[in-house]
Amino acid sequence: MPELPEVETIRRDLERGLLRKTLERVEIIDSTVIRQPIPSFTRALRGQTITAVDRRGKALTLQLGSGAYLVVQVMMTGQMVLNGAPDASTRGIFHFKEGGHVLYNDQRKFGQLRVVKDPSEIKYFRILGPEPFAEAFSPAYIAASLKKTTRPIKNVLMDHTFVAGIGNIYASEILFHSRINPERPAHRIKQVEIPALLAHTHTILQEAIEYRGSSMRNYRDGAGVKGTFNTRIKVYAREGEACAVCQTPIRRIVQAGRSTFYCRRCQR
DNA sequence: AGGTCGACCTGGCAGC
DNA sequence: TGCTGCCAGGTCGACC
């Protein structure tokens, strides 16, 4: 799915487009993605005003006038598109009283939509680690967490109980900029490397947000437009291409069932 | 008990 | 053309 930068881009688009608008009608085209009984889902939404649009990790929370939340997890291929034209991947349409609508598109239907009184009803929110930009994601926290495990650092970066919002693309990119080999056991990350790892986590995610995310295949922003961070990606999906720093061909390996890309010369 | 591995789905693409 | 197999940004539960 979209990782943190992509979900944050969608959040900002939805905030701009939906804040203080009132849901008039919810049209369900494929109920697979609605993870609760449809009648209670639509009943909880109808007539509700959107009072806040927030993000936690890779999940969107739209607060309603009732105090409840519409939680949207777009997973791998979900999209929230303002005023888009429905297509074969459209699973639901939210119509607004003031005019306009939002499509929920999701090719693979892994996405999850539900209305809850409190996000903590959903396990994801209960186990989620700190946001990468939060104070809690500190050098001391990172050092203490990495010391506890021998798992490869790449797997740890992608573990959302360690830090929220980092997925397969940005884990590879952050490690490239930090010059750390993705297979290095987390407990072997040196104390002196941690400030740089944290700094690159911040700069990569921040820059990706500025570029409105990366579009490999399916990701689109709230206007249905691709992100442009692809042009800034150094290693992800660049197997065989020359490393931007040393010209060594980028390698692809598989870790925890996911592709990892790195430069074996630059990253130790 | 931490960590890995299918399952959940659809569709695009490479290779034959 | 059409088949097969592989691959895809995430998350969870079963299992070792």
Side-chain angles (χ1 to χ4, degrees):
Chain A
M1 133 186 181
E3 306 180 31
L4 185 151
E6 292 76 27
V7 178
E8 177 60 23
T9 301
I10 297 170
R11 187 200 71 75
R12 294 176 184 189
D13 289 346
L14 295 182
E15 184 174 59
R16 200 170 325 112
L18 300 184
L19 209 54
R20 289 182 287 281
K21 287 198 175 176
T22 300
L23 282 155
E24 180 173 70
R25 187 165 59 92
V26 179
E27 192 180 338
I28 309 292
I29 294 161
D30 186 330
S31 62
T32 310
V33 296
I34 313 298
R35 311 293 165 150
Q36 68 194 140
I38 306 307
S40 60
F41 180 79
T42 53
R43 202 181 317 122
L45 289 173
R46 198 177 307 124
Q48 291 298 316
T49 300
I50 310 293
T51 58
V53 182
D54 294 306
R55 176 194 59 74
R56 178 85 171 93
K58 300 169 190 164
L60 293 162
T61 59
L62 284 69
Q63 192 169 23
L64 309 172
S66 63
Y69 298 83
L70 168 60
V71 175
V72 180
Q73 291 180 268
V74 298
M75 299 290 188
M76 296 285 262
T77 56
Q79 308 169 346
M80 294 282 277
V81 183
L82 284 156
N83 301 319
D87 62 27
S89 74
T90 302
R91 311 302 177 191
I93 309 179
F94 300 90
H95 297 273
F96 289 87
K97 203 174 72 182
E98 296 81 358
H101 63 266
V102 172
L103 304 179
Y104 181 73
N105 293 340
D106 195 342
Q107 179 195 105
R108 295 172 72 181
K109 300 194 281 191
F110 288 170
Q112 309 203 351
L113 280 68
R114 41 166 87 79
V115 178
V116 293
K117 286 216 164 60
D118 192 294
S120 68
E121 290 170 41
I122 299 167
K123 184 180 178 182
Y124 177 78
F125 292 90
R126 294 197 302 268
I127 66 175
L128 201 57
E131 289 289 321
F133 293 106
E135 298 253 337
F137 192 59
S138 65
Y141 167 81
I142 296 169
S145 303
L146 299 189
K147 206 164 59 182
K148 282 188 294 201
T149 179
T150 60
R151 301 160 76 195
I153 183 64
K154 156 74 158 34
N155 298 13
V156 177
L157 275 184
M158 287 186 63
D159 180 346
H160 58 215
T161 68
F162 167 62
V163 60
I166 297 175
N168 213 27
I169 295 178
Y170 297 106
S172 280
E173 293 302 309
I174 289 165
L175 290 172
F176 174 76
H177 288 270
S178 303
R179 305 179 66 86
I180 294 171
N181 187 306
E183 295 188 289
R184 178 123 58 100
H187 72 122
R188 298 257 170 77
I189 302 295
K190 300 182 201 74
Q191 195 71 36
V192 295
E193 293 177 296
I194 288 175
L197 180 61
L198 177 57
H200 286 119
T201 299
H202 287 162
T203 55
I204 293 291
L205 296 177
Q206 188 57 51
E207 193 185 4
I209 292 169
E210 284 160 20
Y211 279 76
R212 304 185 60 76
S214 311
S215 293
M216 305 311 298
R217 300 178 181 212
N218 295 279
Y219 165 71
R220 298 294 183 273
D221 66 19
V225 175
K226 294 183 180 189
T228 59
F229 190 73
N230 299 53
T231 59
R232 313 288 295 176
I233 285 178
K234 303 297 186 198
V235 288
Y236 183 82
R238 296 199 180 283
E239 182 181 16
E241 294 183 33
C243 166
V245 172
C246 75
Q247 314 306 313
T248 301
I250 301 300
R251 283 185 71 178
R252 171 184 181 270
I253 59 173
V254 175
Q255 296 181 281
R258 319 291 304 277
S259 290
T260 301
F261 301 87
Y262 75 107
C263 173
R264 68 176 187 280
R265 179 152 171 218
C266 290
Q267 296 177 251
R268 307 287 184 172

